[in-house]
Amino acid sequence: MKLKVGVATDVGRTRTANEDSFLRDDKGQTFAVADGMGGHRAGDVASATAVDVVTRELAGGATLVEAIVAANDEVFAKAQANPEMRGMGTTVTSVLFDGERALLAHVGDSRGYLWRDRALTQVTEDHSLVEELVRQGRLTPEEAAVHPQRNIVTRALGVDADVLVDTYEIDLYPGDRLLLCSDGLSSMMRDDEIAAVLRGDADPQAAADALVDAANRAGGEDNITVLVIDVVGDRGKARQKAVAAGADAEPPAAEKTGEWDPVDAPETGDTPALAQPPGTGAGAKAKAKAAPRARRPLRRALLWGLPFVVVIGVALFTLRWYARSTYHLGTDAKRDVVVLYRGVPDGFLVWDPTVEERTEVRVADLTEADANDVRSEKRFSSESSARRYVNRLAESTSTTTSPTTTTTIQPAASAPTTAPA
Ligand code: CA
């Protein structure tokens, strides 16, 4: 599988220095964007250090995640050692091509996109304040795009001794185009505007240049770095066959393989240059099946969600039926008279028993056997059998005492029932 690469970086229209850095290694098929932050040009140091360390570590045989962890260590150490660099950090969004797959490792709010079948999919999740709020449903994507705090990142290299690295895996096909960029592009342009540029430029270098130009025309409020990587090769026939056979007709565009926390990670890298998340190994795919922002998310959600809803509904109905079709004997608060309850003694899940009938049958008037039934909260599986039993109790006591009447009262207000529709 061959690659064709275009790259462009620009200071933008309002900043005085470009603190973005990038890695382009065509031979090693490894690429990265790093967006530095920190005053007095410390951001420049952070992003350049990250790229240098990743390059060095990969050359030394490290996996991509290990290389990023090493970069975190080095940026963090530099920040600690130099007071003027305190608090500096950098994003890193990197991709390594491994035969027929692209392996992405990512920290921060730079982005990795996949352009396939003339559609753009954001592969990486931003580690930014506004994106966390969007994921929590507290902001809409439209609100996030113009939010004054949209530049605040929640994860970065060099700000802490440990770093959590997200990894993604993409099965590649000829014609796929990967886009890595700093937020100087993605905060200036909507995804559909980026897609329009990618659609118009067949050449990756022309596309990278056009994206930088477009971000500058849109305001150029930040440094802009763009890598466009085209996949050219011979897997097209294999894919057409698979589609014709109906197998995997619409594969997920990308698969998140996990969050790789080096603190608990084993010292092994089992796929070339990208360690699997700890404890997953070959099972990583099965574990993280959901493709972030996969195409037709609504249809997928309905397809997978509907059977789930039906199963839950049937289970709830069965549980409620069990809870509410049971009747049992008991006494009132003074343990004086017999009460017929509907429900399971002491309740079942959310369904508390309710008073079905407070009789005037006194426990003291019952035979020893009947009194024991009442005290042990004898259960009945139907209302009719419960009422037959209560009527018999009433008759057995009425032969020795005055005629008995029964009073039906509404369910006690203190025993609320919760019943799903
Ligand atoms: Ca930036």
Side-chain angles (χ1 to χ4, degrees):
M1 190 157 279
K2 277 187 176 171
L3 304 175
K4 219 177 149 195
V5 184
V7 60
T9 187
D10 191 75
V11 68
R13 291 173 60 182
T14 60
R15 301 285 171 98
T16 54
N18 190 345
E19 300 190 323
D20 287 354
S21 297
F22 66 88
L23 163 63
R24 174 184 181 172
D25 177 3
D26 288 27
K27 194 157 165 279
Q29 300 201 322
T30 311
F31 307 89
V33 168
D35 174 357
M37 60 208 79
H40 307 291
R41 309 209 49 182
D44 194 3
V45 175
S47 68
T49 303
V51 164
D52 288 349
V53 174
V54 168
T55 308
R56 185 190 74 208
E57 293 295 313
L58 288 175
T63 68
L64 190 52
V65 170
E66 286 167 347
I68 288 174
V69 171
N72 182 69
D73 291 347
E74 205 155 317
V75 176
F76 184 65
K78 256 186 200 176
Q80 296 304 301
N82 301 285
E84 74 279 10
M85 294 179 187
R86 248 330 117 74
M88 74 174 176
T90 181
T91 72
V92 67
T93 301
S94 58
V95 60
L96 185 147
F97 291 82
D98 163 32
E100 295 177 336
R101 293 177 306 163
L103 309 168
L104 278 86
H106 159 74
V107 177
D109 69 348
S110 298
R111 289 183 176 177
Y113 287 94
L114 174 66
W115 170 256
R116 171 181 289 171
D117 297 337
R118 304 177 71 74
L120 189 67
T121 308
Q122 186 182 333
V123 176
T124 54
E125 277 177 5
D126 294 354
H127 302 137
S128 69
L129 182 67
V130 291
E131 282 304 312
E132 308 279 351
L133 294 175
V134 169
R135 282 195 282 276
Q136 290 167 18
R138 293 163 65 187
L139 276 186
T140 65
E142 293 73 29
E143 287 166 342
V146 295
H147 198 280
Q149 289 177 308
R150 63 183 183 276
N151 293 327
I152 295 178
V153 296
T154 50
R155 238 197 263 177
L157 289 195
V159 295
D160 194 50
D162 299 314
V163 68
L164 193 60
V165 183
D166 284 357
T167 57
Y168 299 85
E169 193 175 309
I170 302 172
D171 283 327
L172 294 171
Y173 296 96
D176 283 352
R177 169 174 268 189
L178 264 86
L179 166 67
L180 303 185
C181 65
S182 60
D183 69 338
L185 178 74
S186 52
S187 68
M188 286 288 110
M189 294 173 71
R190 295 192 314 265
D191 284 5
D192 61 310
E193 295 170 326
I194 295 174
V197 175
L198 292 176
R199 190 175 299 123
D201 277 294
D203 177 67
Q205 186 58 53
D209 291 334
L211 285 169
V212 167
D213 286 349
N216 273 328
R217 277 200 305 276
E221 290 170 14
D222 198 356
N223 307 145
I224 310 147
T225 301
V226 174
L227 276 145
V228 178
I229 307 150
D230 284 353
V231 176
V232 283
D234 54 3
R235 251 186 97 179
K237 280 179 186 165
R239 186 179 181 213
Q240 279 164 13
K241 248 188 206 168
V243 172
D248 204 15
E250 194 184 328
E255 216 156 38
K256 186 173 183 180
T257 48
E259 288 177 336
W260 198 93
D261 184 354
V263 179
D264 331 294
E267 287 293 307
T268 57
D270 41 8
T271 59
L274 184 97
Q276 294 290 351
T280 52
K285 270 192 177 184
K287 209 174 163 189
K289 206 68 192 162
R293 297 177 180 85
R295 282 173 293 164
R296 303 187 193 177
L298 183 65
R299 204 184 73 173
R300 273 166 199 276
L302 284 176
L303 221 59
W304 289 99
L306 201 60
F308 185 71
V309 168
V310 169
V311 167
I312 293 288
V314 168
L316 277 174
F317 182 83
T318 307
L319 291 171
R320 181 175 185 275
W321 175 84
Y322 167 73
R324 296 302 292 161
S325 69
T326 299
Y327 291 77
H328 71 275
L329 296 177
T331 58
D332 64 351
K334 291 181 188 163
R335 298 177 176 275
D336 213 17
V337 298
V338 176
V339 176
L340 177 62
Y341 291 94
R342 183 178 183 185
V344 178
D346 298 325
F348 178 73
L349 300 180
V350 297
W351 298 283
D352 288 328
T354 52
V355 174
E356 187 69 13
E357 181 181 337
R358 181 185 298 272
T359 71
E360 293 188 355
V361 178
R362 287 161 43 83
V363 178
D365 296 336
L366 294 174
T367 64
E368 190 57 31
D370 286 343
N372 275 338
D373 280 351
V374 172
R375 288 191 204 101
S376 63
E377 302 182 315
K378 183 178 172 67
R379 296 190 193 196
F380 305 91
S381 57
S382 73
E383 183 180 1
S384 56
S385 60
R387 290 204 179 276
R388 266 201 307 276
Y389 191 93
V390 169
N391 288 341
R392 186 185 65 71
L393 289 185
E395 282 164 17
S396 73
T397 54
S398 68
T399 57
T400 55
T401 61
S402 56
T404 303
T405 56
T406 58
T407 315
T408 302
I409 64 163
Q410 293 302 311
S414 59
T417 59
T418 310

